[in-house]
Amino acid sequence: MNKILLIILGLIPSLTFASSDAVNLDLTSHWAGYLALTLFVIAYAFVMLEEFTHFRKSKPVILVAGLIWGIIGWVYASKGIPHAAEAALRHNFLEYAELFLFLLVAMTYIEAMRERLVFEKLKVYLISKGFSYRQLFWLTGFIAFFMSPIADNLTTALVMGAVVLAVGAGNAKFISVAFVNIVVAANAGGAFSPFGDITTLMVWQKGLVDFQQFFVLFFPSLVNFLIPAAIMHFAIKNEKPEVVDEVVNIKNGGIVITFMFLLTIATAVSFHNFLHLPPAMGMMTGLGYLMVVGYFVKVRHNSNDPISERFDVFRKVSRAEWDTLLFFFGVIVSVGGLGFMGYLALVSEAMYVQLGATYANVLVGILSAIVDNIPVMFAVLTMTPDMSLGQWLLVTLTAGVGGSMLSIGSAAGVALMGQSQGHYTFVSHLKWIWAIALGYVASIFMHLWINAALFDVPI
């Protein structure tokens, strides 16, 4: 009870400060602003070099997030208005908390299904069917495209990557090209669903695009995947890998947990659309589903049966992608700090006022290939430019699929570089940038054409 009172009392100052200290200092030409911007660039350089340094991407951005806000706090305290910075930072914490809880539940479910061998069953099924390399190229691509809207592009890439490594053992060329295809397919599939990518999730949670409105991006996303896939198709020899005769049985509770995951997604959507509550609350309710199901799976556990391994939901939570979750914290808090200093207002003026919304949103996709789409999209959401529904869908599309142009531009690409055992690298992906760029341009024109009416619909 005392802890609850302390939490409530801890929230009261933020409400007071938000109303009494609405002072924002323009630090874009101040030494503090220059220092913060320099620190962020250095941190992001480490993120981009993770493939070579093996220095996890969460470490530099978390450190820099603290330094940036320390600088802000120092300046505001010296000006006698310390609580304005505190209120702004609390707002960043709230935005991250919703994203964190949402992703934590999703990752826990994915880990539970992985441990129950749901994905392993899919992998063995594909291997055992005797498909040719070209057929496997298209199968893994299409599965990634349609799996990503539900399981997110990161998880999809890892699952399909495991399949490609298994069936393509000894064929480095196939693995390399198939991995590029999976990255493009997973990012494209994730662009037309709130659950497919962090960027779409952020836009949906912000309330800028309704759940069902994302699906108008289906055909532009499909074009984005098909064009580079059709080009890469000819780089793969039409040979067959050796058939592996292996039997995998899904563990006790695996099918039920899969259905609970779908129910959890439905709950999150319902909380947001019908009850007007944060989707993260629906996901946390879904975590409750898993915990209850996990109890009965544990009760049915037979210690003499090696297939029925003891199920522990808290172990699944511990195996979530913590580096990714902490990376998002560092990015959101760092970009929030730069925005509080005034830099995002400058960028918004340069991009959305001088260039115009369409060109600016196309540029967002190109930037997301270099910088990663999470900070780019968070920056756009923080700027909140006045745009129509069609333009918000355009930036959702470009930020989601633009990252496919470079291997470091999306979580899917970064994850596969670590999984590929050296077969898929920054350079091997770069060889296909021209084909991916063709798909990127074609998907934008497709959206501008088939969804033209939405560009007159205000948010």
Side-chain angles (χ1 to χ4, degrees), residues 29 51 67 92 98 115 154 159 172 371 381 392:
S29 300
E51 176 191 356
L67 293 176
N92 282 170
E98 289 190 19
E115 187 269 337
L154 173 60
V159 172
V371 183
L381 292 175
W392 278 110

Side-chain angles (χ1 to χ4, degrees), residues 184 229 346-347 432:
V184 174
L346 290 179
V347 174
W432 297 102

Side-chain angles (χ1 to χ4, degrees), residues 6 35 39 52-53 69 183 196 255 269 364 366 377 394:
L6 286 172
L35 179 58
L39 289 171
F52 309 103
T53 64
W69 278 98
V183 170
I255 299 298
V269 173
V364 163
I366 297 172
M377 178 55 84
L394 175 60

